[in-house]
Amino acid sequence: MRITPRFARVSAASAVLAGVLLTQQACAGQSSTAAPSTGSPGSSGAAAGSGTSPAAVTKPSTAKPAGVFGGDREVRLLPVGTEGTLAVSKSKRVELSDESGDRALFVLTKVDGDRYWIRTARLRTGGEASCLQANKDKTVTAAACDAARGDQLFRFRKTGTAENKPKYTIRTNGDIYLIVTRNGGVRAEHIGEGTPDIDTPFLLPDRGKASLPALD
């Protein structure tokens, strides 16, 4: 009869035990890596490869802007510190005026991102509203609306309050701001770093529901 040496039997048992341990460790590793991320969509825990389903990722909000930025309210553009309002003259130039009628009413219409048209609320040319435009000669005029023209797209930046109401600076491409000069003129002026603080904040009082047709 052949007798297996004792050390051989021990080695065989050790090998079996080692195999069991390795199998258990592999199963535990698979279980931990397969667990889905518990972070909410859009949180830092929902990084790529975390197991979060693409369908669960929060999409950019398409909510309509609120208040006077919703595109359905008539507003005035009142420069803080003056007694006038911006209005469109008969020559289509935007001026500081004591006008209180149709020429001084506008509608802020979102075009893309944080950029807006400033459309005439009631004035029409060929049945269409016009858009304010900051020209290269620093004048501001009302012209046919064109979304491809950067000088017709304006950003509004809140800069605190005046008369307990929010006030905004209004600028377009290249840091060109709508300002009112000391002699009462309305200009499109470049205000860059180091430029004296000549920007003009505006109040945007709501003057009721607009009658402009919605954009397609």
Side-chain angles (χ1 to χ4, degrees), residues 58-145:
T58 302
K59 295 181 179 180
S61 173
T62 56
K64 177 182 175 182
V68 297
F69 295 100
D72 57 1
R73 309 299 297 177
E74 293 183 343
V75 303
R76 295 198 190 280
L77 304 179
L78 299 179
V80 174
T82 72
E83 296 182 359
T85 183
L86 265 57
V88 179
S89 70
K90 292 182 179 180
S91 64
K92 300 293 186 181
R93 185 157 178 166
V94 177
E95 301 174 341
L96 188 64
S97 171
D98 59 3
E99 170 74 44
S100 59
D102 294 355
R103 294 185 176 277
L105 291 171
F106 303 93
V107 176
L108 309 181
T109 305
K110 183 175 179 178
V111 177
D112 64 70
D114 61 348
R115 300 191 298 174
Y116 292 79
W117 272 336
I118 303 176
R119 296 197 290 168
T120 54
R122 301 185 186 183
L123 294 183
R124 301 287 189 272
T125 300
E128 298 290 335
S130 298
C131 284
L132 298 199
Q133 177 174 298
N135 302 302
K136 291 182 178 180
D137 64 358
K138 300 185 178 182
T139 60
V140 182
T141 56
C145 296

Side-chain angles (χ1 to χ4, degrees), residues 4-206:
T4 302
R6 182 179 178 185
F7 72 87
R9 292 198 300 270
V10 173
S11 297
S14 299
V16 172
L17 179 59
V20 172
L21 291 174
L22 288 173
T23 300
Q24 291 177 340
Q25 292 173 352
C27 290
Q30 291 175 353
S31 176
S32 64
T33 57
S37 170
T38 57
S40 61
S43 70
S44 59
S50 66
T52 301
S53 170
V57 176
T58 302
K59 295 181 179 180
S61 173
T62 56
K64 177 182 175 182
V68 297
F69 295 100
D72 57 1
R73 309 299 297 177
E74 293 183 343
V75 303
R76 295 198 190 280
L77 304 179
L78 299 179
V80 174
T82 72
E83 296 182 359
T85 183
L86 265 57
V88 179
S89 70
K90 292 182 179 180
S91 64
K92 300 293 186 181
R93 185 157 178 166
V94 177
E95 301 174 341
L96 188 64
S97 171
D98 59 3
E99 170 74 44
S100 59
D102 294 355
R103 294 185 176 277
L105 291 171
F106 303 93
V107 176
L108 309 181
T109 305
K110 183 175 179 178
V111 177
D112 64 70
D114 61 348
R115 300 191 298 174
Y116 292 79
W117 272 336
I118 303 176
R119 296 197 290 168
T120 54
R122 301 185 186 183
L123 294 183
R124 301 287 189 272
T125 300
E128 298 290 335
S130 298
C131 284
L132 298 199
Q133 177 174 298
N135 302 302
K136 291 182 178 180
D137 64 358
K138 300 185 178 182
T139 60
V140 182
T141 56
C145 296
D146 183 350
R149 292 197 62 121
D151 53 9
Q152 289 185 3
L153 302 178
F154 295 90
R155 291 181 170 90
F156 293 78
R157 179 173 177 266
K158 186 176 179 181
T159 59
T161 60
E163 303 175 15
N164 295 318
K165 298 176 182 178
K167 61 180 181 177
Y168 302 84
T169 55
I170 305 174
R171 70 180 177 89
T172 185
N173 287 348
D175 290 332
I176 303 297
Y177 286 75
L178 299 190
I179 70 164
V180 175
T181 64
R182 291 181 179 178
N183 61 3
V186 177
R187 296 175 65 81
E189 196 75 50
H190 176 264
I191 303 178
E193 185 176 355
T195 303
D197 187 14
I198 60 173
D199 59 322
T200 299
F202 290 83
L203 297 177
L204 309 173
D206 189 327

